[in-house]
Amino acid sequence: MKNLTKTARTLRHNSTDAERKLWYYIRTKQLEGFKFKRQQPLGSYIVDFICFEKALIIELDGGQHAVNREKDIERDSWLEKEGFHVLRFWNNDVANNLEGVIDEIRKYLMAPSP
């Protein structure tokens, strides 16, 4: 876990453009008052963004995810078994349709909890 924490800290300091852009809109409870954390260790993974209150994980995917799809499926399956819902967006979606991405996140946050 200690290595994951160190890796997460490094990832926070080396965010992608898409991560920085989305973080600007969801940090400090700006999105409907929900608190998000970024690059959060969870089990043997580090998730891009997480809202513990709504058990929501947001993952931003670059081109490498098209190749490593099996790993994402395995990861998402584990996270869902742990009670989390995973929303995935391509980096291009954040760059070219940030409003649409925010709307999708907002819809999930505002839906009644199961």
Side-chain angles (χ1 to χ4, degrees), residues 3 23 41 84 88 91 112:
N3 276 346
W23 181 241
F84 293 94
R88 286 188 171 275
N91 288 344

Side-chain angles (χ1 to χ4, degrees), residues 46-95:
I46 298 173
V47 299
D48 290 340
F49 303 99
I50 187 166
C51 174
F52 283 105
E53 185 179 349
K54 291 294 273 192
L56 174 63
I57 292 170
I58 301 168
E59 290 289 311
L60 301 184
D61 297 339
Q64 76 278 10
H65 290 270
V67 176
N68 296 326
R69 188 70 190 124
E70 298 82 30
K71 288 182 182 180
D72 287 340
I73 292 169
E74 180 182 306
R75 174 188 173 106
D76 289 357
S77 176
W78 184 87
L79 293 167
E80 288 170 3
K81 285 179 188 167
E82 294 298 309
F84 293 94
H85 179 79
V86 181
L87 290 179
R88 286 188 171 275
F89 300 99
W90 291 103
N91 288 344
N92 287 344
D93 292 333
V94 174

